[in-house]
């Protein structure tokens, strides 16, 4: 007697497409159409990366994005019928409801570009967009350190300092997509400049801000005749960065360690404000904090113990982001799944 063996198809029925638009590079990512209950193994199925070349204008970049989406879809037998959606992560300002990008500083000429409408007309797939901080908050909430929490704050702590807010189990955008611009909070009357404001949260807690703190401290030493190992000459000031200072701090350089203590102090001040106002369960910090938690956390803890309300700080965890270098991929895919 002949037995018929039914072979289960290995072709995925559902997919999600993510588009990460940055000032330097763009990525198109293909992921599975359902968020896994546990583990991220094999969730991302394909990826294409290419330079943004922002100086060539939005038409050039968008054309390359569309070409990359077609390539990923064709290679993996993806079509509109088996795709959950397209998610776009992009620097703001933008209008997520209208799907319009409104002149981000790192994207030359992107003035009121209806990117969502363009993508939906091209692919006939529902498309959603969020600014990159919000998208990363969604990613850490759905896939990373924030999984299972209802109230979380994600802080970028990279080139700048922005926040994405998940409140009562939903992404909070604010009235006109301006929620989470914590980098603009003034922590001192004077100080390093970030977000166009001296003494701001971003001024003290960002890559550029840490470099500014380092330059100021080095100049103080040089002016009294001390040549610090971190930077013994004025001519090498421009070599100072958050990364080079962290490396020196890890090698025992006391000046470098003091720079991170300063940033950590103001990070604690900023987090205390967030803890008191939003009462989150968890604050997740990306980029610089991921790499240098050991240099920042001792100062952060001391300040929060002093400044934040006990009832609020006692229920709030502060942790590094979990998704690492892949956070941009998961961020764009997270937007495709909606809120």
């Amino acid at each position: 007697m002949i037995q018929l063996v039914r072979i289960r198809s290995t072709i995925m029925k559902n997919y999600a497409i993510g588009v990460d638009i940055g000032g330097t590079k763009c990525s198109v990512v293909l992921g599975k159409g359902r968020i896994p209950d546990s583990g991220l193994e094999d969730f991302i199925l394909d990826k294409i990366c290419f330079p943004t070349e922002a100086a060539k204008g939005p038409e050039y970049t968008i054309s390359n994005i569309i070409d990359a989406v077609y390539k990923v879809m064709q290679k993996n037998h993806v079509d509109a019928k088996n795709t959950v959606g397209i998610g776009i992560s992009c620097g703001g300002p933008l209008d997520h409801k209208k799907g319009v990008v409104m002149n981000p500083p790192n994207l030359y000429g992107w003035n009121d570009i209806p990117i969502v409408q363009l993508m939906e007309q091209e692919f006939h797939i529902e498309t959603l967009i969020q600014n990159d901080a919000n998208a990363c908050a969604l990613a850490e909430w759905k896939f990373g350190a924030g999984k299972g929490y209802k109230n979380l704050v994600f802080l970028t702590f990279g080139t700048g300092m922005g926040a994405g807010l998940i409140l009562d189990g939903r992404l909070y955008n604010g009235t006109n997509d301006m929620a989470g611009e914590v980098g603009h909070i003034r922590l001192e009357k004077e100080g390093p400049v970030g977000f166009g404001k001296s003494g701001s949260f971003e001024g003290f807690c960002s890559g550029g801000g840490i470099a500014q703190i380092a330059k100021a401290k080095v100049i103080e030493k040089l002016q009294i005749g001390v040549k610090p190992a971190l930077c013994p000459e004025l001519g090498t000031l421009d070599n100072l960065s958050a990364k080079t200072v962290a490396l020196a701090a890890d090698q025992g350089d006391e000046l470098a360690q003091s720079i991170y203590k300063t940033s950590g102090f103001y990070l604690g001040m900023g987090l205390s404000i967030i803890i008191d106002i939003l009462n989150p369960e968890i604050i997740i910090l990306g980029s610089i904090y991921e790499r240098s938690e050991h240099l920042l956390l001792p100062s952060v803890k001391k300040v929060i113990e002093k400044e934040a309300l006990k009832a609020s700080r006692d229920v709030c965890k502060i942790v590094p982001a979990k998704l690492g270098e892949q956070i941009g991929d998961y961020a764009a895919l997270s937007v495709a799944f909606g809120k």
Side-chain angles (χ1 to χ4, degrees):
M1 184 176 179
I2 299 174
Q3 282 188 317
L4 296 176
V5 179
R6 180 167 293 175
I7 300 173
R8 182 176 295 176
S9 172
T10 58
I11 299 174
M12 290 293 297
K13 298 295 183 182
N14 295 304
Y15 300 90
I17 297 170
V19 179
D20 185 14
I21 304 174
T24 304
K25 66 179 180 66
C26 294
S27 301
V28 171
V29 187
L30 181 68
K32 294 180 180 179
R34 294 178 183 174
I35 298 172
D37 293 329
S38 62
L40 297 177
E41 298 82 6
D42 303 319
F43 178 78
I44 292 177
L45 304 170
D46 207 349
K47 178 178 177 178
I48 295 176
C49 258
F50 51 92
T52 305
E53 299 185 80
K56 294 184 178 181
E59 292 84 3
Y60 177 84
T61 303
I62 291 169
S63 176
N64 285 341
I65 289 169
I66 289 171
D67 286 347
V69 172
Y70 272 125
K71 286 177 183 176
V72 164
M73 291 177 70
Q74 290 167 1
K75 178 182 174 184
N76 296 278
H77 310 289
V78 177
D79 57 36
K81 293 179 182 178
N82 60 16
T83 302
V84 170
I86 296 174
I88 301 174
S89 171
C90 181
L94 54 80
D95 186 325
H96 84 281
K97 292 179 181 177
K98 294 181 179 178
V100 174
V101 179
M102 302 182 295
N103 197 26
N106 62 343
L107 291 173
Y108 174 78
W110 285 62
N111 301 313
D112 298 324
I113 301 298
I115 183 71
V116 166
Q117 180 184 345
L118 294 173
M119 296 294 283
E120 288 185 339
Q121 287 176 346
E122 186 71 35
F123 297 103
H124 305 288
I125 299 171
E126 182 182 16
T127 301
L128 300 171
I129 188 169
Q130 287 290 343
N131 72 51
D132 46 7
N134 285 350
C136 287
L138 286 171
E140 285 290 338
W141 182 42
K142 293 175 185 288
F143 296 100
K147 199 164 185 177
Y149 292 92
K150 288 186 67 177
N151 296 297
L152 70 85
V153 176
F154 172 83
L155 297 177
T156 57
F157 202 169
T159 304
M161 172 62 85
L165 311 175
I166 306 294
L167 304 177
D168 286 333
R170 289 182 62 83
L171 177 66
Y172 180 72
N173 292 92
T175 303
N176 63 340
D177 283 290
M178 292 299 289
E181 298 292 3
V182 298
H184 202 243
I185 297 170
R186 190 186 294 281
L187 299 178
E188 293 285 0
K189 289 182 179 179
E190 301 294 337
V193 179
F195 222 120
K197 183 184 283 186
S198 298
S200 66
F201 193 7
E202 183 171 298
F204 286 105
C205 302
S206 66
I210 290 172
Q212 289 179 64
I213 296 168
K215 288 174 184 179
K217 285 183 178 286
V218 166
I219 289 172
E220 286 176 2
K221 295 290 186 183
L222 291 173
Q223 286 181 344
I224 60 172
V226 176
K227 292 188 174 184
L230 180 64
C231 179
E233 304 291 341
L234 275 174
T236 57
L237 272 180
D238 288 341
N239 295 334
L240 291 171
S241 67
K243 185 175 181 180
T244 59
V245 175
L247 288 171
D250 285 337
Q251 293 167 3
D253 188 293
E254 292 184 2
L255 180 60
Q257 290 170 351
S258 76
I259 291 163
Y260 266 84
K261 284 179 182 177
T262 298
S263 183
F265 172 86
Y266 287 102
L267 180 59
M269 293 290 287
L271 294 184
S272 295
I273 293 169
I274 291 169
I275 289 168
D276 284 350
I277 293 174
L278 296 178
N279 190 204
E281 298 168 271
I282 186 168
I283 298 175
I284 303 166
L285 296 102
S287 197
I288 291 169
Y289 190 83
E290 280 182 75
R291 298 190 296 269
S292 302
E293 180 185 23
H294 60 292
L295 298 174
L296 294 160
L297 188 57
S299 299
V300 169
K301 281 184 173 180
K302 287 180 183 177
V303 175
I304 290 176
E305 284 291 320
K306 180 181 177 182
E307 296 291 334
L309 291 166
K310 186 178 187 305
S312 297
R313 71 173 185 254
D314 284 352
V315 297
C316 181
K317 296 180 181 179
I318 297 169
V319 302
K322 187 176 179 181
L323 298 174
E325 297 298 322
Q326 282 194 294
I327 192 167
D329 299 339
Y330 285 104
L333 288 169
S334 295
V335 177
F337 289 109
K339 299 179 185 180

